[in-house]
Structure formats: C-alpha cells, structure tokens
C-alpha cells in the first residue's frame, strides 16, 4: 500500500499498548478507579452493565476510525488502527489472565501506578506515531473546525467522563484518587514524549563574544550560534551568543563566562529535548545509539 510504516514503530506501539492495558486492568479495573477519555466510558459500561471493556473499546472507536481515515492521513491512521486493536487485544488477555495485586487498601499507591502505567503506555504509542483513537480524533476535529486547542478539548471531555463516572460507580474517595491517576498519567505522557534528557540553553550578551564563543567551542565542546541583536534602549547593534549545553555543564559554562567577562548578560533557559550534533548525532552526523 506504500504507507511507509516502520517495523520499529509498530513494535513499540504494540509494546505501549501492552503496558497501558496491564495498568488499566490491574489498577483501574481491579480497584474501581475511573479514567478519562473513551477508556473512562468503557469503565462506566463495565461497572454499570458488566459490558466487556475490550469489545467496547473497539465498538466506540469504529466511528472514530471512519472520521480518522480522512483526518489523520493514511500512515497515522494505520498506526492508530494498530494501537487501538492492540489495546483491545491486551485488555482481553489481561482480563482473562488477571492476577490480584492486593493493593485495594492503598488507593494512593494504586492511583500512582495507574497513572504511571497508563501514561507510559500512551506516551510510547504517541511517541511512535500512533494514537488510541477516541478523544484524540475528536480533539483534532474540534481544533480543525472550531480552533480550540487539543488540550482544552481533551480536558473538557475527560472532566465530563470523570463526572459521569462519579454519578454511576465512583464514590467521592475513588473520584479523588482518579484525579490523581489522571494527573500523573498526563505528566508521564509529557515526560515520555518530550524525552528524559534535559539540557540548558544560554543567551549571552558580551563585548567579548568571540573569546567566550571560542572557549565554549574548544573547552566545552559545544556548538555556538552568533545571532544579530539590536538594543532597544541603546539603539546599538550587537551580537548575541546562543548555545545549548548538558545540564552538568552549566556550572562550567557560567565559570567560563564569568572568567572572560564578569559583566556579561546571561539568560539561562530549560531545554526539554535536544536533537542534532553533540546530542543525538556524533561528529560524523551519525545517530548516537
């Protein structure tokens, strides 16, 4: 079909689906915690009508598949189909071969693990180009036709589902722990997608920019970019150094700058993820494994 699917992506999406489903069954279902999105709806149907969560996950997503075929593009739609089917398969497997973890008396620990497993699984699926259908597609539709951010739509939908869960099977205590699980899951998703690596970016304004740049390049082995700046108050044009260093190099960078020009203006920013030479590529432009 010429979709350009990558074998690694397919394997990682399936792996993420397994992690997600394990957490969903053994923490949410086992301990009657809710969840946001379509997964939360399947929990409502399970606890109220005893309907199979794996089957409901597929049936609820069929309309989303029809919409997503045109909205997502063929490659992302294929990954989404793989992710959704894999989640349903693993939900059924873990439901059949479920084992008791004995954490029903510690809902705080349950909510933390529920958030970690669900967030880690979804984060892996998202990182490798897939989704699990459902509210992800709805959010894309609302963004396209109404201009709402995807985060806003997903938050409103999740809030509605959690409220629905509260009026059906959740008590007040379980609802609060559900909120903990949803929050932890969202943070873990961001962590997986943005990467565990944290670097620091530095903007440096100095009269000795060339000397500072040379030392950063030679002693810290980091690339330097010279930007053209213009002072609003002074109306003077000047060059601005920009560089990205590993977090453990930040102290050395400050020492270098201070030793050359104690009066330099320095602004340090947090860099969530870094791609390129020195970080994800070596000196020969080859990926660093």
């Amino acid at each position: 079909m010429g979709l350009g699917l990558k074998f690694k992506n397919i394997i990682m999406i399936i792996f993420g689906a397994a992690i997600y489903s394990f957490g969903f069954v053994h923490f949410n279902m086992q301990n009657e915690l809710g969840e946001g999105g379509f997964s939360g709806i399947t929990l409502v149907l399970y606890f109220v009508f005893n309907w199979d969560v794996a089957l409901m996950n597929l049936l609820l997503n069929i309309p989303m598949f029809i919409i997503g075929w045109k909205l997502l593009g063929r490659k992302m739609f294929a990954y989404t189909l793989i992710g959704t089917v894999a989640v349903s398969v693993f939900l059924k497997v873990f439901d059949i071969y479920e084992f008791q973890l004995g954490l029903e008396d510690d809902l705080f620990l349950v909510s933390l693990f529920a958030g970690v497993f669900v967030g880690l699984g979804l984060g892996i699926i998202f990182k490798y180009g897939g989704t699990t259908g459902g509210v992800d597609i709805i959010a894309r539709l609302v963004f396209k036709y109404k201009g709402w951010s995807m985060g806003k739509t997903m938050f409103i939908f999740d809030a509605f589902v959690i409220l629905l869960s509260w009026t059906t099977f959740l008590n007040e205590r379980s609802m609060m722990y559900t909120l903990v699980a949803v929050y932890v899951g969202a943070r873990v998703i961001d962590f997986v997608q943005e990467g565990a690596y944290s670097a620091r970016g530095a903007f440096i304004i100095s009269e000795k920019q060339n000397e500072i740049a040379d030392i950063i390049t030679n002693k810290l082995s980091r690339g330097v970019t010279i930007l053209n700046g213009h002072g609003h108050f002074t109306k003077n044009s000047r060059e601005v150094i920009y560089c990205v260093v590993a977090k453990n190099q930040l102290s050395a960078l400050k020492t270098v700058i201070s030793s050359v020009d104690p009066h330099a203006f320095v602004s340090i920013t947090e860099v969530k993820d870094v791609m390129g030479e020195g970080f994800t590529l070596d000196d020969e432009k080859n990926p660093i494994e």
Side-chain angles (χ1 to χ4, degrees), residues 194-195 197-200 222 244-246 271-281:
E194 294 174 356
Y197 188 87
S198 180
R200 295 294 183 267
R222 291 301 178 191
V244 176
V245 298
V271 179
K272 291 288 187 180
D273 203 358
V274 187
M275 298 172 62
E277 185 176 346
F279 293 93
T280 58
L281 300 176

Side-chain angles (χ1 to χ4, degrees), residues 222-234:
R222 291 301 178 191
V224 173
T225 299
I226 304 296
L227 307 174
N228 292 320
H230 185 84
H232 175 72
F233 179 76
T234 64

Side-chain angles (χ1 to χ4, degrees), residues 20 24 34-45 161 164-165 169:
Y20 169 86
F24 190 81
E35 180 57 74
F38 274 32
S39 299
I41 296 177
T42 65
L43 285 175
V44 172
L45 297 175
V161 172
L164 176 64
S165 302
F169 74 93

Side-chain angles (χ1 to χ4, degrees), residues 32-192:
E32 295 191 19
L33 282 186
E35 180 57 74
F38 274 32
S39 299
I41 296 177
T42 65
L43 285 175
V44 172
L45 297 175
Y46 172 76
F47 285 115
V48 176
F49 302 107
N50 199 31
W51 290 356
D52 184 82
V53 291
L55 179 61
M56 288 301 101
N57 183 63
L58 280 179
L59 293 180
L60 288 174
N61 274 294
I62 287 176
M64 297 299 100
F65 289 153
I66 297 172
I67 297 171
W69 172 252
K70 292 185 177 180
L71 182 66
L72 300 178
R74 292 191 299 170
K75 179 186 289 189
M76 190 171 184
F77 172 78
Y79 284 140
T80 295
L81 185 61
I82 292 169
T84 305
V85 172
V87 165
S88 288
V89 169
F90 283 116
L91 283 175
K92 192 64 179 178
V93 170
F94 291 129
D95 191 28
I96 294 173
Y97 298 102
E98 179 186 10
F99 56 91
Q100 295 297 319
L101 296 177
L103 296 175
E104 58 274 1
D105 295 328
D106 193 346
L107 279 182
F108 181 69
L109 191 60
V110 167
S111 64
L112 290 180
F113 274 96
V116 169
F117 272 81
V118 169
L120 180 60
L122 288 179
I124 292 173
I125 291 172
F126 295 158
K127 184 173 183 177
Y128 287 90
T131 74
T132 54
V135 68
D136 304 325
I137 297 176
I138 293 176
R140 291 172 188 272
L141 273 176
V142 174
F143 174 75
K144 181 176 181 179
Y145 293 106
K146 293 293 184 180
W148 291 12
S149 70
M150 291 183 63
K152 178 180 180 180
T153 302
M154 294 177 76
F155 174 79
I156 293 173
F157 195 93
D158 285 349
F160 168 77
V161 172
I162 293 173
L163 181 62
L164 176 64
S165 302
W166 181 37
T167 59
T168 52
F169 74 93
L170 286 180
N171 56 36
E172 286 79 4
R173 182 168 178 261
S174 295
M175 187 191 72
M176 288 188 286
Y177 281 116
T178 294
L179 295 175
V180 172
V182 170
Y183 175 79
V184 172
R187 298 301 299 166
V188 173
I189 288 173
D190 290 342
F191 178 80
V192 174

